[in-house]
Amino acid sequence: TVLASAFTNAPELRAAIPRDLDVFFAEMQAANIRRNDAFRDQLKTIGEALAKHNIEAVVLKGGAELIAPLQINPAFRFVSDLDLLVKEAKLEAAVSVLQGIGAQLSKSDEINQRVSHHLPPMTAPDWAGPVELHRRIGNDVINHILPARDLIESSSSSQYAGIRLPDLPHRLAHQVLHAQLSTYRYERKVLSLRDCLEFEQMTLALPGEIEASARALFENHQAEGAFAALKCVTGYVVRPDQKITSKTPATQWARQVLKRFGQPRRQRITTNTRFFIWRLWQVLTNPERRRHYLKNVMNREKLKQLWAAYLDRNRRIK
């Protein structure tokens, strides 16, 4: 959804590709705008339903970008689902409200749901995409840096009834938390170009004091390295003529992830090794997990789903 703008801004790139490919990317960008419009309508409908029952939800990540954009081009942000943070005490009521307007709660294994920071996705036939109702922002590390209560209390109302927006420092902090710590990219030294683009667009649009406030949340919890590393590598991605000369922890991290970005086979091996080691450890030390895995192994449909997820994860590592 971004590439069409690259060909518009740099005619020499457009000249290097077939005309039909240029048309394809332009159509994909236009289609994403239409899709985002449908997500906005969905968000408005959900908010109105929640408001009737005195429930408010804070819209996170891409959903917040839809109704209070920071990126220079509204077509850039691809939204896969809507993430809504609801007070724990209102969570069950929110599920009932969404079921009342035609949504269904996806099935999920209880053992996984017990530790998840959000409920299984909710879907409806006329929705643009799934909705995830969050009780927390992310894993334990993320929730320690940005507690759900802090984000809810500092949020503000939006133009949609029942829907609130995170304040700007929390919104930027959540982008970095999701980019670096939700899937452990910082720890695993993995680069996401999408995360770099989003961070660059947000920091360009926000005053310096907002970025400083967001960064302070990381410093207060000894996680400043994750913020500094994303800022550093983003600078090298968007301005590739720069040379990495200094040897700070952030530049060292940037050097390693840029090198590994060109080695997808190595990334797959590392990711899969960690994936299987963690599960093996659970089998050896956690009786409940062991029973859960054995039950899945004996279920042909579950095995198909796990194999499909494994293949998809490998496909995404490029």
Side-chain angles (χ1 to χ4, degrees):
T1 59
V2 177
L3 288 172
S5 295
F7 299 133
T8 300
N9 297 333
E12 67 275 15
L13 291 179
R14 173 177 283 168
I17 64 169
R19 170 62 179 158
D20 57 351
L21 193 57
D22 180 29
V23 172
F24 169 78
F25 283 119
E27 287 299 317
M28 289 297 289
Q29 197 171 75
N32 194 46
I33 291 177
R34 294 192 297 271
R35 188 170 185 271
N36 286 347
D37 287 340
F39 265 118
R40 271 187 286 271
D41 291 341
Q42 177 181 335
L43 193 58
K44 182 179 179 182
T45 299
I46 290 171
E48 288 173 348
L50 291 174
K52 288 178 182 178
H53 293 80
N54 198 31
I55 301 173
E56 291 185 314
V58 183
V59 62
L60 307 172
K61 299 188 301 183
E65 179 67 22
L66 290 179
I67 59 177
L70 295 174
Q71 298 196 36
I72 193 171
N73 187 328
F76 281 3
R77 189 59 160 92
F78 179 84
V79 178
S80 55
D81 56 19
L82 292 176
D83 298 280
L84 301 176
L85 176 64
V86 179
K87 289 181 178 179
E88 184 87 38
K90 299 272 189 177
L91 205 54
E92 287 189 19
V95 171
S96 297
V97 170
L98 296 194
Q99 288 174 330
I101 59 173
Q104 289 186 334
L105 194 64
S106 302
K107 292 182 179 179
S108 176
D109 293 320
E110 193 273 337
I111 189 173
N112 293 325
Q113 188 51 224
R114 195 187 313 151
V115 296
S116 178
H117 56 280
H118 60 75
L119 300 184
M122 300 194 72
T123 58
D126 57 342
W127 282 2
V131 170
E132 289 181 350
L133 294 177
H134 284 242
R135 55 168 67 91
R136 296 185 299 276
I137 303 302
N139 58 38
D140 289 344
V141 174
I142 291 176
N143 197 51
H144 188 59
I145 296 172
L146 186 54
R149 189 173 79 173
D150 290 357
L151 196 146
I152 291 172
E153 290 180 352
S154 63
S155 65
S156 59
S157 58
S158 73
Q159 64 265 46
Y160 296 154
I163 301 297
R164 298 180 68 81
L165 283 164
D167 72 0
L168 291 174
H170 285 162
R171 192 168 157 192
L172 178 58
H174 189 200
Q175 192 274 331
V176 179
L177 287 167
H178 188 264
Q180 295 287 72
L181 302 179
S182 68
T183 53
Y184 305 98
R185 288 196 186 111
Y186 177 64
E187 179 185 333
R188 294 187 291 121
K189 297 181 174 64
V190 173
L191 172 64
S192 164
L193 294 179
R194 173 175 168 171
D195 290 338
C196 291
L197 172 68
E198 190 169 348
F199 181 82
E200 173 76 0
Q201 294 279 301
M202 291 182 76
T203 52
L204 283 175
L206 295 172
E209 57 267 25
I210 297 294
E211 181 180 338
S213 296
R215 189 166 185 160
L217 294 172
F218 290 77
E219 294 170 348
N220 293 340
H221 295 89
Q222 290 78 52
E224 198 274 339
F227 193 104
L230 181 59
K231 182 176 178 65
C232 181
V233 78
T234 296
Y236 292 122
V237 167
V238 300
R239 289 174 287 276
D241 54 325
Q242 292 184 84
K243 292 184 178 180
I244 304 178
T245 54
S246 60
K247 293 186 177 181
T248 65
T251 55
Q252 292 293 87
W253 188 88
R255 187 192 303 275
Q256 291 179 6
V257 299
L258 289 168
K259 181 180 180 180
R260 292 184 181 187
F261 187 70
Q263 300 175 343
R265 184 172 179 273
R266 176 179 174 176
Q267 285 192 50
R268 290 190 188 100
I269 291 172
T270 301
T271 300
N272 289 328
T273 299
R274 292 171 63 93
F275 178 84
F276 289 114
I277 286 177
W278 186 85
R279 277 154 181 77
L280 178 59
W281 177 250
Q282 291 296 305
V283 168
L284 295 174
T285 63
N286 188 330
E288 187 180 19
R289 277 281 174 188
R290 181 165 57 246
R291 290 191 295 270
H292 173 69
Y293 291 147
L294 289 174
K295 182 180 178 181
N296 285 343
V297 167
M298 302 299 292
N299 186 315
R300 173 180 264 180
E301 285 304 312
K302 275 287 186 181
L303 280 177
K304 285 183 178 180
Q305 293 173 15
L306 291 170
W307 180 247
Y310 168 79
L311 293 177
D312 185 60
R313 187 176 66 252
N314 277 277
R315 179 186 61 82
R316 291 170 181 269
I317 301 174
K318 299 179 179 178

PDB file of all heavy atoms in Angstrom, residues 190-203:
ATOM      1  N   VAL A 190      15.316  -8.403  14.913  1.00  0.00           N
ATOM      2  CA  VAL A 190      14.563  -8.553  13.667  1.00  0.00           C
ATOM      3  C   VAL A 190      14.067  -7.188  13.218  1.00  0.00           C
ATOM      4  O   VAL A 190      13.532  -6.404  14.012  1.00  0.00           O
ATOM      5  CB  VAL A 190      13.372  -9.513  13.865  1.00  0.00           C
ATOM      6  CG1 VAL A 190      12.487  -9.539  12.622  1.00  0.00           C
ATOM      7  CG2 VAL A 190      13.877 -10.912  14.186  1.00  0.00           C
ATOM      8  N   LEU A 191      14.229  -6.898  11.933  1.00  0.00           N
ATOM      9  CA  LEU A 191      13.829  -5.611  11.371  1.00  0.00           C
ATOM     10  C   LEU A 191      12.493  -5.740  10.647  1.00  0.00           C
ATOM     11  O   LEU A 191      12.293  -6.653   9.852  1.00  0.00           O
ATOM     12  CB  LEU A 191      14.894  -5.124  10.379  1.00  0.00           C
ATOM     13  CG  LEU A 191      14.543  -3.869   9.549  1.00  0.00           C
ATOM     14  CD1 LEU A 191      14.379  -2.663  10.448  1.00  0.00           C
ATOM     15  CD2 LEU A 191      15.601  -3.626   8.488  1.00  0.00           C
ATOM     16  N   SER A 192      11.575  -4.807  10.918  1.00  0.00           N
ATOM     17  CA  SER A 192      10.321  -4.703  10.191  1.00  0.00           C
ATOM     18  C   SER A 192      10.281  -3.351   9.495  1.00  0.00           C
ATOM     19  O   SER A 192      10.284  -2.304  10.151  1.00  0.00           O
ATOM     20  CB  SER A 192       9.130  -4.839  11.149  1.00  0.00           C
ATOM     21  OG  SER A 192       7.944  -4.391  10.524  1.00  0.00           O
ATOM     22  N   LEU A 193      10.238  -3.351   8.164  1.00  0.00           N
ATOM     23  CA  LEU A 193      10.187  -2.089   7.425  1.00  0.00           C
ATOM     24  C   LEU A 193       8.901  -1.333   7.725  1.00  0.00           C
ATOM     25  O   LEU A 193       8.894  -0.102   7.768  1.00  0.00           O
ATOM     26  CB  LEU A 193      10.307  -2.361   5.920  1.00  0.00           C
ATOM     27  CG  LEU A 193      11.648  -2.931   5.446  1.00  0.00           C
ATOM     28  CD1 LEU A 193      11.615  -3.163   3.943  1.00  0.00           C
ATOM     29  CD2 LEU A 193      12.801  -2.007   5.808  1.00  0.00           C
ATOM     30  N   ARG A 194       7.808  -2.056   7.917  1.00  0.00           N
ATOM     31  CA  ARG A 194       6.545  -1.403   8.243  1.00  0.00           C
ATOM     32  C   ARG A 194       6.654  -0.636   9.560  1.00  0.00           C
ATOM     33  O   ARG A 194       6.164   0.487   9.678  1.00  0.00           O
ATOM     34  CB  ARG A 194       5.428  -2.446   8.318  1.00  0.00           C
ATOM     35  CG  ARG A 194       4.107  -1.880   8.816  1.00  0.00           C
ATOM     36  CD  ARG A 194       2.999  -2.913   8.767  1.00  0.00           C
ATOM     37  NE  ARG A 194       1.833  -2.455   9.505  1.00  0.00           N
ATOM     38  CZ  ARG A 194       0.668  -3.069   9.480  1.00  0.00           C
ATOM     39  NH1 ARG A 194       0.490  -4.146   8.763  1.00  0.00           N
ATOM     40  NH2 ARG A 194      -0.346  -2.608  10.191  1.00  0.00           N
ATOM     41  N   ASP A 195       7.296  -1.239  10.559  1.00  0.00           N
ATOM     42  CA  ASP A 195       7.459  -0.552  11.842  1.00  0.00           C
ATOM     43  C   ASP A 195       8.298   0.717  11.678  1.00  0.00           C
ATOM     44  O   ASP A 195       8.016   1.749  12.295  1.00  0.00           O
ATOM     45  CB  ASP A 195       8.126  -1.479  12.856  1.00  0.00           C
ATOM     46  CG  ASP A 195       7.211  -2.619  13.283  1.00  0.00           C
ATOM     47  OD1 ASP A 195       5.977  -2.483  13.146  1.00  0.00           O
ATOM     48  OD2 ASP A 195       7.732  -3.654  13.744  1.00  0.00           O
ATOM     49  N   CYS A 196       9.341   0.629  10.863  1.00  0.00           N
ATOM     50  CA  CYS A 196      10.193   1.796  10.626  1.00  0.00           C
ATOM     51  C   CYS A 196       9.399   2.917   9.962  1.00  0.00           C
ATOM     52  O   CYS A 196       9.503   4.088  10.348  1.00  0.00           O
ATOM     53  CB  CYS A 196      11.389   1.428   9.755  1.00  0.00           C
ATOM     54  SG  CYS A 196      12.590   0.352  10.565  1.00  0.00           S
ATOM     55  N   LEU A 197       8.599   2.563   8.961  1.00  0.00           N
ATOM     56  CA  LEU A 197       7.796   3.566   8.263  1.00  0.00           C
ATOM     57  C   LEU A 197       6.817   4.238   9.225  1.00  0.00           C
ATOM     58  O   LEU A 197       6.695   5.462   9.251  1.00  0.00           O
ATOM     59  CB  LEU A 197       7.034   2.922   7.109  1.00  0.00           C
ATOM     60  CG  LEU A 197       6.014   3.829   6.419  1.00  0.00           C
ATOM     61  CD1 LEU A 197       6.700   4.949   5.660  1.00  0.00           C
ATOM     62  CD2 LEU A 197       5.110   3.034   5.484  1.00  0.00           C
ATOM     63  N   GLU A 198       6.149   3.424  10.033  1.00  0.00           N
ATOM     64  CA  GLU A 198       5.148   3.978  10.949  1.00  0.00           C
ATOM     65  C   GLU A 198       5.806   4.874  11.999  1.00  0.00           C
ATOM     66  O   GLU A 198       5.285   5.950  12.318  1.00  0.00           O
ATOM     67  CB  GLU A 198       4.385   2.836  11.623  1.00  0.00           C
ATOM     68  CG  GLU A 198       3.185   3.313  12.408  1.00  0.00           C
ATOM     69  CD  GLU A 198       2.286   2.183  12.860  1.00  0.00           C
ATOM     70  OE1 GLU A 198       2.468   1.040  12.376  1.00  0.00           O
ATOM     71  OE2 GLU A 198       1.398   2.438  13.698  1.00  0.00           O
ATOM     72  N   PHE A 199       6.946   4.446  12.523  1.00  0.00           N
ATOM     73  CA  PHE A 199       7.649   5.264  13.514  1.00  0.00           C
ATOM     74  C   PHE A 199       8.098   6.591  12.889  1.00  0.00           C
ATOM     75  O   PHE A 199       7.946   7.658  13.495  1.00  0.00           O
ATOM     76  CB  PHE A 199       8.858   4.504  14.050  1.00  0.00           C
ATOM     77  CG  PHE A 199       9.627   5.249  15.102  1.00  0.00           C
ATOM     78  CD1 PHE A 199       9.203   5.247  16.429  1.00  0.00           C
ATOM     79  CD2 PHE A 199      10.770   5.974  14.782  1.00  0.00           C
ATOM     80  CE1 PHE A 199       9.906   5.946  17.409  1.00  0.00           C
ATOM     81  CE2 PHE A 199      11.471   6.671  15.744  1.00  0.00           C
ATOM     82  CZ  PHE A 199      11.042   6.661  17.070  1.00  0.00           C
ATOM     83  N   GLU A 200       8.627   6.530  11.684  1.00  0.00           N
ATOM     84  CA  GLU A 200       9.081   7.746  11.004  1.00  0.00           C
ATOM     85  C   GLU A 200       7.927   8.710  10.769  1.00  0.00           C
ATOM     86  O   GLU A 200       8.033   9.911  11.031  1.00  0.00           O
ATOM     87  CB  GLU A 200       9.731   7.376   9.665  1.00  0.00           C
ATOM     88  CG  GLU A 200      10.104   8.545   8.778  1.00  0.00           C
ATOM     89  CD  GLU A 200      11.353   9.283   9.233  1.00  0.00           C
ATOM     90  OE1 GLU A 200      11.948   8.887  10.249  1.00  0.00           O
ATOM     91  OE2 GLU A 200      11.722  10.264   8.562  1.00  0.00           O
ATOM     92  N   GLN A 201       6.805   8.195  10.283  1.00  0.00           N
ATOM     93  CA  GLN A 201       5.646   9.042   9.999  1.00  0.00           C
ATOM     94  C   GLN A 201       5.092   9.670  11.284  1.00  0.00           C
ATOM     95  O   GLN A 201       4.733  10.847  11.301  1.00  0.00           O
ATOM     96  CB  GLN A 201       4.557   8.206   9.318  1.00  0.00           C
ATOM     97  CG  GLN A 201       4.932   7.696   7.937  1.00  0.00           C
ATOM     98  CD  GLN A 201       4.745   8.745   6.863  1.00  0.00           C
ATOM     99  OE1 GLN A 201       3.656   9.255   6.666  1.00  0.00           O
ATOM    100  NE2 GLN A 201       5.817   9.083   6.177  1.00  0.00           N
ATOM    101  N   MET A 202       5.031   8.887  12.346  1.00  0.00           N
ATOM    102  CA  MET A 202       4.474   9.410  13.595  1.00  0.00           C
ATOM    103  C   MET A 202       5.378  10.472  14.205  1.00  0.00           C
ATOM    104  O   MET A 202       4.902  11.524  14.651  1.00  0.00           O
ATOM    105  CB  MET A 202       4.246   8.266  14.582  1.00  0.00           C
ATOM    106  CG  MET A 202       3.138   7.311  14.180  1.00  0.00           C
ATOM    107  SD  MET A 202       2.838   5.991  15.395  1.00  0.00           S
ATOM    108  CE  MET A 202       1.947   6.903  16.668  1.00  0.00           C
ATOM    109  N   THR A 203       6.679  10.226  14.241  1.00  0.00           N
ATOM    110  CA  THR A 203       7.587  11.190  14.864  1.00  0.00           C
ATOM    111  C   THR A 203       7.719  12.470  14.039  1.00  0.00           C
ATOM    112  O   THR A 203       7.944  13.545  14.596  1.00  0.00           O
ATOM    113  CB  THR A 203       8.976  10.568  15.103  1.00  0.00           C
ATOM    114  OG1 THR A 203       9.463   9.972  13.884  1.00  0.00           O
ATOM    115  CG2 THR A 203       8.912   9.507  16.181  1.00  0.00           C
TER     116      THR A 203
END
